[in-house]
Amino acid sequence: MHEFTPHSTPKETGWIEVIAGCMFSGKTEELIRRLRRANIAKLNVKIFKPKIDVRYSTSDIVSHSEQSLPSILVESANEILDHAKNAQVIGIDEAQFFNNELIEVCNKLANEGRRVIVAGLDQDYRGIPFEPIPQLLAVAEYITKTLAICVVCGNPADRTQRKIVSSERVLVGASDSYEARCRKCHYIPE
Ligand code: ZN
């Protein structure tokens, strides 16, 4: 995984960092790592996730390796603005579950001088770009693409393989219905 290493930390301005990748690629772990460091630096940190994601815990962000941080559940991206008033660093997990309103919200926060760190799936189970992540990648200053390991061939994996047949774009809380696959081994179940 790439480290977030800007050549110099931006001064007197906000910015957007996006951590994007498939399931099991360590997005949330990386988000938690950056937010912990911000906490240690005594910055005011607020963490958000969409109410749709209720696996493991209702109020923490939790990675597959069970690292966790307390977070605020919100129904819409605009609600983040209400809760983030004094926050210097804003973390947003499972960002693919927000709609495109999130792009404007992240830009607004960054324009106000805040550091915004967004983690989310960049492709759905078919390999189709999963908005609003592609748009956020375009407006972000710093991008990290996390890769998993293909369970079939061991190559670096950037696709999420759905192991059951369903045309729903999102199957919440069904992480055992997915695995990481590379481009060569990924297919659309039907
Ligand atoms: Zn493979």
Side-chain angles (χ1 to χ4, degrees), residues 11 20 26 44 52 58 72 82-83 88 92 99 113 118 133 171:
K11 298 246 174 7
N44 185 331
I52 190 172
T58 52
I72 300 167
D82 301 332
H83 293 284
Q88 295 160 288
I92 302 167
N99 63 24
V118 184
I133 304 298
L171 294 176

Side-chain angles (χ1 to χ4, degrees), residues 84-190:
K85 293 236 155 52
N86 303 314
Q88 295 160 288
V89 179
I90 291 139
I92 302 167
D93 198 19
E94 301 288 359
Q96 75 281 354
F97 293 143
F98 288 105
N99 63 24
N100 285 350
E101 190 180 83
L102 184 66
I103 306 155
E104 200 187 327
V105 167
C106 290
N107 267 328
K108 185 168 197 299
L109 292 166
N111 290 346
E112 289 170 1
R114 274 79 93 64
R115 175 183 176 195
V116 183
I117 316 172
V118 184
L121 285 174
D122 54 356
Q123 300 171 49
D124 68 10
Y125 73 99
R126 298 165 298 176
I128 307 288
F130 206 153
E131 65 283 348
I133 304 298
Q135 293 89 338
L136 284 165
L137 288 167
V139 298
E141 279 84 350
Y142 302 100
I143 295 167
T144 302
K145 177 124 177 175
T146 51
L147 294 171
I149 302 296
C150 177
V151 299
V152 177
C153 74
N155 270 324
D158 78 325
R159 314 273 156 135
T160 302
Q161 179 66 52
R162 182 176 283 178
K163 297 190 286 180
I164 54 172
V165 176
S166 164
S167 57
E168 299 285 309
R169 196 170 199 194
V170 172
L171 294 176
V172 176
S175 67
D176 8 334
S177 307
Y178 294 97
E179 60 192 25
R181 298 253 184 129
C182 73
R183 178 186 294 277
K184 187 174 58 127
C185 301
H186 176 265
Y187 68 95
I188 300 168
E190 53 193 352

